[in-house]
């Protein structure tokens, strides 16, 4: 599996950065990349531009390959959890069990 890196610009990506990164992502997959790792270490003042960039990258990766985000600081991590993009970090969403885990039903559980 070929892993390719894509760097999210900092300190705060813009909408223009999002469009450019999406075009780069498509080119990487077309060139044969199976997995892309997006490095977010430079994002120190995340805002809506960072969220938009990562959301668009996630959409661009669908059906083409895998996309994971590394180097995420606390502020960006919080934003990704807030908007429901925490799966990009390889973490289970809050209140969701990790993949492959089934919840059991206890005899004394109340019916819903």
């Amino acid at each position: 599996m070929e892993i390719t890196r894509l760097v999210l610009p900092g300190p705060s990506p813009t909408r223009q950065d999002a469009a450019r990164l999406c075009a780069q992502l498509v080119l990487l997959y077309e060139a044969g990349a199976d997995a892309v790792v997006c490095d977010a270490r430079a994002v120190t003042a995340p805002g809506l531009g960072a969220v938009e960039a990562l959301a668009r990258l996630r959409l661009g990766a669908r059906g083409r390959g895998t996309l994971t985000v590394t180097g995420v600081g606390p502020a960006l991590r919080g934003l990704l959890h807030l908007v429901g993009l925490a799966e990009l970090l390889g973490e289970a969403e809050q209140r969701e069990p990790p993949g492959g885990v089934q919840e059991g039903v206890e005899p004394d559980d109340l019916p819903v």
Side-chain angles (χ1 to χ4, degrees):
M1 180 192 303
E2 182 183 338
I3 298 176
T4 306
R5 290 201 166 295
L6 187 64
V7 177
L8 203 60
S12 185
T14 65
R15 295 186 85 174
Q16 293 78 16
D17 293 326
R20 180 183 53 77
L21 289 166
C22 286
Q24 282 181 302
L25 182 70
V26 169
L27 290 174
L28 289 172
Y29 286 129
E30 287 176 353
D34 297 316
V36 175
V37 175
C38 183
D39 184 346
R41 281 182 284 183
V43 180
T44 56
L48 293 179
V51 171
E52 180 177 352
L54 290 170
R56 289 178 65 181
L57 286 170
R58 183 183 83 177
L59 288 173
R62 281 195 180 159
R64 291 187 171 109
T66 61
L67 175 71
T68 54
V69 183
T70 62
V72 176
L76 182 55
R77 181 176 304 278
L79 269 177
L80 293 176
H81 278 280
L82 184 67
V83 299
L85 292 174
E87 75 272 1
L88 289 172
L89 304 172
E91 302 171 355
E93 294 244 3
Q94 217 172 8
R95 296 188 185 176
E96 256 186 50
V101 175
Q102 288 186 326
E103 291 186 34
V105 178
E106 299 297 323
D108 60 340
D109 281 349
L110 296 173
V112 178

